[in-house]
Structure formats: structure tokens, C-alpha cells
Amino acid sequence: MAAIAHTDLDVFPLNLGGNTFGWTSDRSTSFAVLDAFTEAGGNFVDTADVYSAWGEGHSGGESETVLGEWLTARGTRDDVVVATKVGSLQQRRGLGRGNVVQALEDSLRRLGTDRVDLYYAHRDDESVPVAEQAATFDELVRSGKVRAVGLSNYGPERLREWFETAEREHLTVPVAIQPEYNLVSRRTHERDLAPIARQFGAAVFPYFGLASGFLTGKYRTAADLEGKVRGGAAGSHVNAQGLAVVDALVGVAEDRGVEPATVALAWLLAKGVTAPIASASRPEQVPALMAAPGLGLTGEEVEVLDRASQPFA
């Protein structure tokens, strides 16, 4: 388990992404994925109020609803660390105080719980001063409905401002950031965000740890992308530089007798990430994710992957 600094929360170092729940995974399949994850020792699930508003006929809240129904059906609420986010849902967009307060109530209702363990500002709202955002989230923590605060998709200047404001004004200091970070998306996090996280002792829970499935090694040509729900996102990486990373990834995976996805997530852990986020649309995909924390890449293997992914650093 990995401790989230400045909290009493301990999490398995693989954060299960809930964006598939109620979208590419129907209710029963989502339940099976969650069962497989927790039975293998997982306890940390990431969702957002906006998941999966992009799906046909969806309006958002589907993921939280499925997760809440599973928590109730299994009676596991006290055993699972639940993270969700506010700010991106069309009908609850932005980080004004009134909107955030009501959005939290909506999320609690869908999740069937009285508190969120880690509540993220999903993305910055530049129309709201950072000091006001920090005060709102501090209020939620003081209410007992939120245990800890995280920040996702913030630029370095306002990210730093939030940490500094919270410390100076004796408000709740964020304990985590959630950036995009993987072998084919390194530069922004490593250069701009990681130093801030280290300075303030914040955990790092990156999303797109597998680059929308590209780092599983299953997308090598345009034909591989046809008919895939996430093919568009993965397809942006199907080029010479991206495929060179996959080649290196597959080489390490074959040498170790594991899946490429396991190696891609293990690389993130070797880079100091607290728990990468990865999703599974089927329970059979879970073991490869759960194997990452125990793999332990060698320094030479990390160097091979670093070198292959240097164009993205």
C-alpha cells in the first residue's frame, strides 16, 4: 500500500479508472471489473461527475451511479477510497462556490455515500480566483463531506498558487495532483508539474497511464483502430516516434514475461508516481494492471524506455 501524505488514506499503487463504468462497460461488466480489482487487493477507484457525458444518450453521472450501486451491493464503502471530480459536467460546469457545493451533493447522491475521500477540481476555472477555489474546497473538508482535496489539469502557475495560498491562509492544502502522464506524454508533467508536487509533498495520480490503450501494444496500424471506441485518442500516437516506444515496451515485456500494459504502468511507478490510473473495460484486463506494482523494473529497463520515449520528454 502507498500512503497519501498528509492523510490517513492508504491506497494500492494502482488507481482503477471509472470512466468505462456505464459506458464501454455495462452495469454487470463494471461490477465484474470492480470485483476483480478489489479481490486482487485494489482499493482505490477514480471517477468524475462528467463520466460518461460523451457517450451517446448519456448526460454524465453514469460512472458515479454504477460505482455507487456496486458499493451498496457489496457493502464495501469503508474499504474503498473513492475519488471523484467537479467542474467539467455541462450542467455543473466551473468552480464557483455554489456550483461546487451543489455538484458535491449530486455526486454524494449518485455514489450513495456521505463523503468523498478525494475530491478533485477537475480543471481550472480561470473566472474564479484561486483563493476563492481554495476557500470553497476547504469549506467542504470542514463540513466532513470531503476528506482530502486534489487538483487535475491545472497549469503550473495556478497550481503553485493554490498550494501557496492554502498554506498561507491556513486552508486545506491539496494532497494530490492528477496530470496526464505516460511514456508518450512526458514533457509537461516532468518539466512543469512534478517539481511542484515534490515541493508540497503531493501524491501524483496520472491519468491516461496507458495513453488510451496505445501502450497496451494492440494499436500498430490504422486498421487496428477501426471500430474502436477509443481508437481516435490512441490513433494520435500511431506514428514513427510512438511506435518506437511501443517496440521498446514490448521488448521489455517479452523479456519479463508480462503484458506491455504492466510495463508501461511500472515505468510510471519507477518515475515516482504514487498510483497511476488505468481503466479496464473487462475483468480479464485487470490482472495486467494489478501486476504493475510488483514488477519492479531494473535501472537498465527504465533507461531503455526513457531513451525510446525521449522525443516526448
Side-chain angles (χ1 to χ4, degrees), residues 43 63 68 73 83 97 99 104 109 121 132 146 151 160 187 209-210 256-258 280 287 297 300-301:
N43 73 329
S63 173
R97 178 191 174 279
N99 186 66
L104 175 62
R109 173 178 46 78
E132 290 185 23
V146 168
L151 304 176
R160 179 178 294 280
R187 190 170 300 119
L210 297 176
R256 296 296 294 271
V258 298
L297 295 177
E300 182 178 352
E301 289 167 334

Side-chain angles (χ1 to χ4, degrees), residues 16-311:
L16 183 65
N19 60 311
T20 61
F21 303 157
W23 177 41
T24 54
S25 306
D26 62 19
R27 184 179 184 275
S28 62
T29 305
S30 299
F31 275 36
V33 167
L34 285 158
D35 287 341
F37 175 67
T38 52
E39 286 166 7
N43 73 329
F44 188 19
V45 182
D46 179 88
T47 185
D49 59 358
V50 73
Y51 298 167
S52 50
W54 55 82
E56 185 177 353
H58 290 196
S59 59
E62 290 83 8
S63 173
E64 288 182 331
T65 297
V66 170
L67 176 57
E69 290 173 350
W70 176 83
L71 290 168
T72 298
R74 300 295 186 263
T76 53
R77 177 62 188 93
D78 292 340
D79 302 319
V80 176
V81 176
V82 174
T84 193
K85 313 178 194 75
V86 58
S88 295
L89 183 64
Q90 182 62 43
Q91 53 269 43
R92 290 283 175 217
R93 189 174 296 280
L95 298 176
R97 178 191 174 279
N99 186 66
V100 173
V101 169
Q102 187 55 58
L104 175 62
E105 294 301 323
D106 294 344
S107 289
L108 292 173
R109 173 178 46 78
R110 287 188 291 261
L111 289 164
T113 185
D114 61 355
R115 82 278 184 193
V116 169
D117 299 305
L118 179 59
Y119 200 41
Y120 288 98
H122 200 165
R123 59 190 69 256
D124 193 7
D125 177 356
E126 294 189 359
S127 72
V128 179
V130 167
E132 290 185 23
Q133 296 182 27
T136 296
F137 278 74
D138 176 72
E139 178 185 336
L140 299 181
V141 172
R142 294 179 188 277
S143 75
K145 295 179 179 180
V146 168
R147 295 178 69 185
V149 171
L151 304 176
S152 180
N153 296 304
Y154 273 65
E157 295 80 11
R158 283 175 56 102
L159 183 71
R160 179 178 294 280
E161 183 182 352
W162 187 314
F163 280 104
E164 291 177 345
T165 299
E167 287 194 344
R168 184 180 65 250
E169 302 297 329
H170 305 290
L171 301 173
T172 301
V173 178
V175 302
I177 67 169
Q178 186 177 133
E180 179 177 356
Y181 184 38
N182 57 58
L183 276 161
V184 291
S185 181
R186 295 177 54 185
R187 190 170 300 119
T188 298
H189 177 67
E190 291 181 358
R191 181 189 61 196
D192 299 332
L193 305 178
I196 299 172
R198 286 193 295 269
Q199 178 182 345
F200 292 97
V204 178
F205 303 122
Y207 66 90
F208 286 167
L210 297 176
S212 299
F214 177 69
L215 296 174
T216 64
K218 63 186 177 183
Y219 301 124
R220 299 293 194 102
T221 69
D224 295 334
L225 302 164
E226 291 178 5
K228 304 296 184 182
V229 173
R230 303 176 74 185
S236 64
H237 303 297
V238 179
N239 51 52
Q241 291 180 331
L243 292 173
V245 173
V246 171
D247 288 341
L249 195 59
V250 170
V252 173
E254 289 178 346
D255 288 345
R256 296 296 294 271
V258 298
E259 296 293 325
T262 304
V263 176
L265 297 172
W267 178 85
L268 286 168
L269 290 164
K271 289 295 180 178
V273 160
T274 313
I277 300 170
S279 303
S281 57
R282 305 186 308 277
E284 310 89 77
Q285 297 170 336
V286 172
L289 310 183
M290 300 300 283
L295 183 60
L297 295 177
T298 66
E300 182 178 352
E301 289 167 334
V302 172
E303 186 178 343
V304 166
L305 296 170
D306 283 353
R307 191 162 55 245
S309 62
Q310 189 58 39

